[in-house]
Amino acid sequence: MGTDIELRELTAPSFVHALPALLEVYTAAMEPAPEQLPGRRSIMEQHSRYPRFRSVLALAPDGGAAGFAYGFHGRSGQWWHDVVTAELKRSDPDALRRWFTDSFEIAEVHVHPAHQGRGAGRRLLELLAEARPERTAVLSTPIGPTVARRLYASCGFADVLPEFAFPGSPDRPFAIMAAPLPLPGGPRRAAGRSREWRWTG
């Protein structure tokens, strides 16, 4: 990643405060239907209250968000965790025990298109997963030969469920991927931890 972008770790309150800016990155990267954004914001607010929550920001020189990533400890009672583990309990109990007994759930990794192609996604992912206490990291990503899937594979992630449809989205299959922790690669220390990112809206 270029030296013009700085990595910062956000506290949960700062993450929630910055959600309008982070959702701009999400929208630019994912192009969701506008009516989905209020629900996405509500989900992200809920995630910030999950155990061992961590959020990392890629900060552009102008003070705006160039990218972000976040995750938390996965456990029963969380929607994604429960849906995926229910399928694995039915289809592959060994994979369930191997990957989901003590897992770090990577919920989102996004880079604004204006800042893509500079290694920001890899740096965000590696810093997010650095020094986690869990044994494994798990995530979902759309199927196909995407940039995201190549990134995850290069960081040690492999398919646990190669094609999985979440409830309510039968026509949009995802791959469920997992990797042992720590991820390969050197340490990616943040420049600092921000208690109050000076985002002004």
Side-chain angles (χ1 to χ4, degrees):
M1 184 168 59
T3 57
D4 59 331
I5 293 179
E6 178 187 357
L7 293 186
R8 306 287 295 186
E9 185 173 341
L10 300 178
T11 63
S14 186
F15 172 84
V16 172
H17 173 68
L19 276 176
L22 302 183
L23 284 168
E24 289 182 6
V25 175
Y26 175 86
T27 300
M30 299 296 290
E31 300 182 340
E35 61 270 17
Q36 295 178 358
L37 292 176
R40 176 54 50 185
R41 175 169 181 160
S42 178
I43 289 169
M44 291 168 74
E45 288 181 355
Q46 181 183 23
H47 285 170
S48 73
R49 297 188 291 271
Y50 281 1
R52 301 180 194 165
F53 174 86
R54 177 183 286 171
S55 174
V56 180
L57 169 74
L59 193 63
D62 63 2
F68 73 97
Y70 76 88
F72 42 80
H73 181 72
R75 67 180 184 184
S76 297
Q78 299 168 354
W79 182 83
W80 189 95
H81 179 91
D82 288 349
V83 168
V84 172
T85 57
E87 173 58 24
L88 286 173
K89 183 177 181 180
R90 182 191 67 81
S91 64
D92 194 344
D94 288 340
L96 173 62
R97 288 188 291 271
R98 179 180 181 184
W99 298 112
F100 286 84
T101 300
D102 181 24
S103 62
F104 175 47
E105 182 180 322
I106 297 174
E108 306 283 357
V109 181
H110 299 294
V111 178
H112 193 286
H115 298 281
Q116 291 177 2
R118 307 177 193 176
R122 179 179 300 276
R123 293 287 302 279
L124 284 166
L125 178 62
E126 290 178 346
L127 177 58
L128 182 70
E130 184 179 295
R132 291 294 305 189
E134 294 90 356
R135 290 193 303 105
T136 63
V138 296
L139 55 82
S140 56
T141 189
I143 64 170
T146 64
V147 172
R149 276 180 65 79
R150 290 195 295 271
L151 168 63
Y152 298 140
S154 72
C155 289
F157 286 85
D159 288 349
V160 177
L161 291 170
E163 189 168 333
F164 178 73
F166 287 97
S169 302
D171 300 324
R172 192 184 180 201
F174 284 77
I176 308 302
M177 305 184 77
L181 290 176
L183 298 181
R188 301 289 183 179
R189 298 293 180 188
R193 182 173 176 83
S194 174
R195 284 199 163 278
E196 185 179 353
W197 174 33
R198 294 180 179 177
W199 173 76
T200 56

